[in-house]
Amino acid sequence: MNCSTLLSLMLMLIQLWPCSLSMWNHSAQNTDQSFTEVRRVKRGWVWEPLFITEEQTLTVPVYVGQLKSDLDKQDGNLEYILTGEGAGSIFIIDENNGKIYVTQKLDREEKPFYTLRAQAINRSTQLPVEPESEFIIKVRDVNDHEPQFLDGPYEATVPEMSPEGTSVTQVTAVDGDDPSYGNNARLLYSLIQGQPYFSVEPKTGVIRMASQMDRETKDQYLVIIQAKDMVGQAGAFSATATVTINLSDINDNPPKFQQRLYYMNVSEEAPVGTTVGKVFAEDSDIGENAAMNYFIEGDNSDVFDIITNNDTQEGIILLKQRVDYESKRRYSILAKVVNRYIDDHFLKEEPFEDKTTVKINVQNADEPPVFTLENYVMEIPEGAVSGSLVGTVTARDPDNDDCPVRYSIVHRMHLKRLFSINEHNGTIITTKPLDREIASWHNITVKATETRNPEKNSEANVYIQVLDVNDHAPEFPKYYETFVCENAVSGQLIQTISAVDQDDSVEGNRFYFSLAQEATNNSYFTVKDNQDNTAGIFTTKSGFRRQEQFSFYLPILIQDNGTPPLTSTNTLTIIVCDCDTKVSIFYCRYGAFMYSLGLSTEALVAVLACILILLVFFLAIVAIRQQRKKSPFLEKIEEFRENIVRYDDEGGGEEDTEAFDISALRTRTVMRTHKPRKKVTTEIHSLYRQSLQVGPDSAVFRQFISEKLEEANTDPSAPPYDSLQTYAFEGTGSLAGSLSSLGSNMSDADQSYDYLTDWGPHFKQLAGMYTSHRSVD
């Protein structure tokens, strides 16, 4: 053992015993390639370094080292004692001279060192002559483990055409031997399979590209890496690992058309969007690197289009515009294909696109007639006589201009009754006069059919506008309910009027208002045109008396701005109204109605009051009789109403029935106490007298209804089902007062009825009754 090795071992011992050896003086000297003595300056231990090689084959105990005290006189008076890990089993000590032996085979990978304690005692006194000291026995490593690749097998991916030296992946092997002692755990990597495409770094296991490779040539490689311990020296252990290296694709190949020239056909009958044919370009790349787009270059891009099928990467040529064999029979288009995703690194080598020529022949077909226009717009004045010319449609056979075409109107019988078409020349005429106010537009469909092939036909829309003719005079838009107060003053606006016209004026309707010729001498009212299609009606005098004239009829002349202009006379009815109490058109019309009958308001109210009183008496008598009248079948009816029979079984007899009295189910809200009925005649008289002072919306009216409703609800003889009851109530009192003698002894005792004698022979008997009654009083 050389000096440097001994020195390193001593430093190691110093690190393991920082406390017990810190006060010691160390000197190293060669003994026998295995031992080193360590002595104390004064009194202490002297021993050799304690190392043992692992996995030695032991037939007898093997000497490890010796512990010796400076006080040992070699007279057998000292006894050495060993304690700690493995003492007495793995390690034994000669108690006389302090030599230590190992008795078992050791494995450094299981336990690299053992910590023991040594002590020397006097045999006669059994007292320690040295303090207990701790030391370590290290197990020295031997190369007994093979390298292992724990993460294998490996797989890596690297882009194709990667430059030389590009790192692919790293493989790592482990060795169970001691890496700090010798070369047992020092590994060396080498490449067994994979040259000349890959290389491996001997110390790190990093695999690198050794040359550029093309995925389109070969996309996968199998590389074998070997790891040897002891730096590859003789007798070293080794292990291998397999690495699968895949080359990922890059866009390094442009697309190429399979053909330089394509031939296709399309019928002239083919509609827009028809597939004409397909072209295909190949790309050696895969995935998105092989994605491509197709284009059409040149002037024919407005007739044909090309789209890309992303699934098949085909270019599909479509018809973008209808073709005509008679106009052009052959097309030549230039199709181009370009990669969708381009790698700029490869653009310098060549353009990533390709082109091909496509020849397309148009095939002739028997086509239907073609109209000169898709839609026709025609005009005709309204009121034109039957047989008037509307317009002409024209169609031709595109295959043969000399082939005749026949015309007809499609469907819509009501249009056929208005229009007809000449089947030879397409002339449309009217069959009856048209009215714009009924329909301003007519839409008809004209069909053109080949005479030699009736299956070939086409249609066109014809829109016919009926032009307006000023054939309707203006008129009032509604009936005006106009009134004038008796106290109206001169120049007062009483009504604003307007007009409507069914005609459609191009410049917009404009109406002019004035008094008719026969009313120009009228000194009561005048018309003022507001110049905005309205006019105001003003009074020309102050004060009106409805006793003298309760209505006026004012003729108003309205003229439109048509060509020629039309006029009409509209009559405005003006009612004279007494505006002292309230003003409403209903009130004024009511007064006019009275005058038309020749009766005063007071007289008419008196007649209506008598009728209502008689009606109330009649209804009251009928109601009283119905309440007092009892049906002889009431008891049976009640039994039928108030019993429920429940059947538990399908058969059986009377024993299967159970009767329930429904009256037990009535709640307190239903079983109301019967109130004594009031005397109907007295009640009606009282309410009637109050009704002379109130209207139908008063509290008295509502009270009357609520009491009648309550009386019906609490009547025990009322039927259980829904019923309708009608009550008569006079309502608002007459302005003339009551003509009845009921209760007159209480309220009308001093009333005079002498004016009844002035009402004529129809009221003679009534006047005699009241005047005689008055004389008796």
Side-chain angles (χ1 to χ4, degrees), residues 492-691:
Q492 180 176 338
L493 175 66
I494 62 172
Q495 183 69 58
T496 299
I497 59 175
S498 61
V500 293
D501 193 335
Q502 296 184 31
D503 295 320
D504 185 16
S505 175
V506 177
E507 301 177 356
N509 289 320
R510 176 70 175 88
F511 302 112
Y512 305 93
F513 301 88
S514 63
L515 285 176
Q517 184 66 33
E518 61 269 23
T520 53
N521 297 326
N522 191 312
S523 60
Y524 300 119
F525 305 96
T526 185
V527 177
K528 181 181 179 182
D529 196 329
N530 296 328
Q531 304 298 319
D532 60 354
N533 289 344
T534 64
I537 309 300
F538 293 86
T539 59
T540 58
K541 61 168 287 187
S542 299
F544 293 86
R545 290 181 56 82
R546 62 175 180 170
Q547 288 79 4
E548 296 177 357
Q549 186 173 354
F550 61 86
S551 62
F552 295 89
Y553 301 97
L554 188 65
I556 299 175
L557 183 68
I558 307 176
Q559 178 179 316
D560 61 17
N561 61 336
T563 304
L566 295 182
T567 61
S568 66
T569 301
N570 296 262
T571 302
L572 181 67
T573 302
I574 303 174
I575 300 174
V576 181
C577 181
D578 181 9
C579 301
D580 292 337
T581 56
K582 59 181 178 179
V583 180
S584 70
I585 190 62
F586 173 78
Y587 180 74
C588 295
R589 292 179 66 185
Y590 170 74
F593 177 71
M594 294 297 100
Y595 280 109
S596 65
L597 294 180
L599 298 175
S600 64
T601 303
E602 292 80 359
L604 185 62
V605 170
V607 173
L608 293 176
C610 291
I611 295 174
L612 289 175
I613 291 173
L614 292 176
L615 181 62
V616 169
F617 267 114
F618 175 75
L619 293 176
I621 293 173
V622 171
I624 293 173
R625 289 182 178 179
Q626 287 181 350
Q627 290 179 358
R628 291 179 178 178
K629 186 177 181 181
K630 184 175 182 182
S631 173
F633 303 100
L634 180 61
E635 190 175 78
K636 292 183 178 181
I637 293 174
E638 289 178 354
E639 290 177 359
F640 177 77
R641 293 177 188 160
E642 297 182 356
N643 286 272
I644 298 176
V645 178
R646 177 168 61 86
Y647 292 87
D648 293 331
D649 300 319
E650 184 175 357
E654 295 179 355
E655 294 180 357
D656 295 333
T657 64
E658 294 180 29
F660 298 90
D661 187 3
I662 198 171
S663 61
L665 302 178
R666 291 185 176 178
T667 61
R668 295 183 178 180
T669 57
V670 177
M671 297 295 293
R672 301 184 180 95
T673 58
H674 176 62
K675 295 183 179 180
R677 295 176 55 88
K678 299 179 181 180
K679 188 177 182 181
V680 178
T681 305
T682 306
E683 177 183 311
I684 294 176
H685 292 172
S686 175
L687 292 174
Y688 166 71
R689 301 304 304 172
Q690 298 180 35
S691 69

Side-chain angles (χ1 to χ4, degrees), residues 24-36:
W24 287 30
N25 233 343
H26 305 285
S27 62
Q29 62 182 20
N30 291 336
T31 55
D32 60 354
Q33 294 287 334
S34 300
F35 303 92
T36 302

Side-chain angles (χ1 to χ4, degrees), residues 84-324:
E85 296 179 336
S89 58
I90 299 176
F91 301 101
I92 59 176
I93 190 170
D94 189 336
E95 61 181 13
N96 296 317
N97 55 24
K99 291 184 178 181
I100 300 174
Y101 299 89
V102 61
T103 64
Q104 298 180 11
K105 184 178 179 180
L106 302 180
D107 188 353
R108 187 200 66 83
E109 285 69 37
E110 292 182 3
K111 189 171 182 60
F113 61 89
Y114 295 85
T115 303
L116 299 170
R117 292 182 299 277
Q119 189 176 30
I121 62 174
N122 190 297
R123 290 181 182 273
S124 47
T125 64
Q126 293 296 312
L127 295 175
V129 296
E130 295 282 357
E132 187 178 55
S133 179
E134 183 178 89
F135 63 96
I136 293 176
I137 299 178
K138 296 189 65 176
V139 182
R140 182 170 292 166
D141 182 56
V142 296
N143 190 19
D144 58 347
H145 286 82
E146 296 179 355
Q148 290 183 340
F149 289 95
L150 301 180
D151 298 329
Y154 296 88
E155 186 171 0
T157 301
V158 63
E160 64 172 327
M161 306 304 292
S162 295
E164 184 178 347
T166 301
S167 175
V168 178
T169 186
Q170 183 179 16
V171 295
T172 302
V174 295
D175 195 313
D177 296 322
D178 188 1
S180 62
Y181 179 76
N183 296 325
N184 295 339
R186 295 180 62 184
L187 304 179
L188 188 68
Y189 298 93
S190 61
L191 191 67
I192 295 180
Q193 178 179 317
Q195 299 91 348
Y197 308 109
F198 303 95
S199 63
V200 62
E201 293 183 355
K203 294 183 179 181
T204 62
V206 174
I207 302 174
R208 297 185 181 275
M209 300 284 290
S211 63
Q212 286 189 336
M213 288 172 285
D214 189 3
R215 187 203 64 83
E216 287 72 34
T217 302
K218 186 176 182 180
D219 60 353
Q220 190 178 78
Y221 294 84
L222 193 64
V223 177
I224 299 178
I225 304 295
Q226 183 186 62
K228 274 188 176 183
D229 59 11
M230 295 185 66
V231 201
Q233 297 176 5
F237 292 107
S238 66
T240 59
T242 301
V243 183
T244 302
I245 300 178
N246 299 306
L247 297 182
S248 62
D249 184 61
I250 62 173
N251 193 8
D252 58 342
N253 293 281
K256 296 291 183 181
F257 279 108
Q258 290 182 324
Q259 299 175 219
R260 293 292 101 187
L261 182 62
Y262 290 85
Y263 291 97
M264 301 178 183
N265 298 311
V266 61
S267 174
E268 63 175 341
E269 285 186 321
V272 173
T274 299
T275 299
V276 179
K278 299 178 181 179
V279 296
F280 180 67
E282 290 182 333
D283 194 321
S284 301
D285 298 318
I286 59 174
E288 67 176 17
N289 294 324
M292 59 190 75
N293 292 325
Y294 294 87
F295 303 94
I296 291 180
E297 293 186 339
D299 299 334
N300 294 322
S301 59
D302 57 342
V303 181
F304 300 96
D305 195 9
I306 189 169
I307 61 174
T308 304
N309 186 330
N310 293 323
D311 296 331
T312 63
Q313 294 299 313
E314 293 176 315
I316 303 174
I317 299 176
L318 304 176
L319 187 62
K320 190 176 180 181
Q321 180 180 305
R322 292 287 296 268
V323 292
D324 185 12

